[in-house]
Amino acid sequence: MGVALAGYVAVAAVSVGVVPKIFPQLKWYYILAVYGMAPVLAFCNAYGMGLTDWSLATTYGKLGIFVFGAWAGASHGGVIAGLAACGVMMTIVATAADLMQDFKTGYLTLASPRSMFISQVIGTAMGCVIGPCVFWLFYRAFDNVGLSGSDYPAPYAVVYRNMAIFGVQGFSSLPKHCLTLCCVVFAAAVVINLARDLAPEKVSRFIPVPMAMAIPFYLGSYFAIDMCVGSAILFVWEKVDKAGADMFARSVASGLICGEGIWSMPQSVLALAKVQPPICMKFLSRSTNARVDAFIQTLSSKT
């Protein structure tokens, strides 16, 4: 306990001194307040994740956006202060839940707690070096990283930025009828969930899940297409060999997701080397495709 408290105080002291240098809008007493609140929230998140296997770190991060964004105010960079406080809060709360899950797994597998703790320290040190390097690799290899329309648009960044603006400016920052639309969609989600839970199984299997419907709105269509193709494969697999699908579907899905993620690293290296793919595939609307065809015909007639 003494080592844990001393380490927490040391990290808090470093954060109080360093983070305001990176984000001047986030004053040192904001950081101190975050580290004062975080242990209670981290305990709640770790306890809840142990029961449900679901981390609510992002929810506690949103709480930091609203609290510290409103505290700083629009005139003192409340948007940046709220987002930076959210990052600090989420890091503490998520780390607590992740460590709890690791030690829970170690307890179930009879692993050595000391070995696990040393491994966590080594992994953290490696992450402090590898993480920035990977970010710099993406930043240098791809144009406009994080912007809408780029290869890596970071859709959650837009969502969190809008929440920070909302936390600073209130309902007046929302577009016209936005709040009404949010209330209608929220009520529709509750009704659809109730209908799915109360309807007979032969009917409920055809009612969509609102959470699954909401994911493409956050992440974009590319994620929905991947999930649609995977669901189609699983559907056919279950028809052909249901026992094998029930046993191996999650492992195969995890492998496909990890493979897609791992491919981003060689893709970055190829992009840094200015290697262009031999084939480019793009899907256009009918009207845009007609304009492209007309433009190509114009070029052909000139040549």
Side-chain angles (χ1 to χ4, degrees):
M1 181 64 71
V3 174
L5 291 176
Y8 189 78
V9 171
V11 172
V14 172
S15 299
V16 168
V18 174
V19 175
K21 302 293 183 181
I22 304 174
F23 304 103
Q25 298 87 348
L26 192 64
K27 306 301 182 183
W28 65 269
Y29 44 88
Y30 295 161
I31 299 292
L32 198 60
V34 168
Y35 274 88
M37 297 166 52
V40 177
L41 302 180
F43 171 80
C44 296
N45 189 46
Y47 186 82
M49 188 174 180
L51 296 176
T52 64
D53 198 30
W54 186 10
S55 176
L56 296 178
T58 56
T59 303
Y60 295 113
K62 296 181 184 72
L63 178 64
I65 289 179
F66 294 125
V67 170
F68 293 97
W71 186 0
S75 59
H76 295 87
V79 174
I80 301 297
L83 290 173
C86 169
V88 176
M89 181 77 75
M90 283 182 59
T91 302
I92 301 172
V93 175
T95 301
D98 292 339
L99 287 174
M100 188 280 305
Q101 285 289 78
D102 292 342
F103 281 108
K104 177 181 176 181
T105 304
Y107 176 79
L108 295 175
T109 57
L110 303 180
S112 168
R114 184 183 300 274
S115 299
M116 290 196 62
F117 179 76
I118 295 175
S119 300
Q120 294 284 358
V121 173
I122 296 173
T124 302
M126 293 174 61
C128 292
V129 178
I130 297 174
C133 292
V134 172
F135 172 78
W136 187 249
L137 179 63
F138 275 80
Y139 186 75
R140 299 289 295 180
F142 301 99
D143 296 329
N144 301 322
V145 172
L147 299 182
S148 178
S150 63
D151 293 332
Y152 297 94
Y156 272 109
V158 179
V159 175
Y160 276 71
R161 178 181 180 274
N162 290 334
M163 284 192 295
I165 295 174
F166 172 70
V168 172
Q169 300 180 1
F171 292 113
S172 60
S173 63
L174 297 176
K176 189 177 181 181
H177 304 306
C178 181
L179 185 60
T180 303
L181 182 62
C182 289
C183 294
V184 171
V185 174
F186 176 78
V190 173
V191 172
I192 294 174
N193 276 314
L194 287 175
R196 183 178 175 84
D197 292 339
L198 299 178
E201 184 178 355
K202 61 181 180 180
V203 177
S204 63
R205 57 195 294 260
F206 296 105
I207 300 177
V209 181
M211 181 66 74
M213 296 169 60
I215 290 175
F217 290 92
Y218 275 108
L219 303 181
S221 58
Y222 70 95
F223 183 81
I225 293 173
D226 291 349
M227 294 297 106
C228 180
V229 173
S231 299
I233 295 173
L234 179 61
F235 178 79
V236 175
W237 192 2
E238 288 180 339
K239 292 296 183 182
V240 175
D241 182 13
K242 182 171 176 58
D246 292 340
M247 185 175 297
F248 298 111
R250 291 176 176 81
S251 300
V252 173
S254 300
L256 292 173
I257 294 172
C258 292
E260 184 180 13
I262 292 172
W263 165 245
S264 61
M265 294 302 296
Q267 183 183 8
S268 303
V269 175
L270 293 174
L272 283 174
K274 306 299 182 184
V275 176
Q276 297 297 327
I279 298 176
C280 180
M281 181 180 295
K282 182 174 290 188
F283 297 92
L284 305 174
S285 63
R286 184 183 299 272
S287 58
T288 304
N289 187 66
R291 291 197 299 269
V292 172
D293 289 340
F295 178 73
I296 294 175
Q297 291 176 1
T298 303
L299 293 178
S300 300
S301 62
K302 290 182 179 180
T303 55

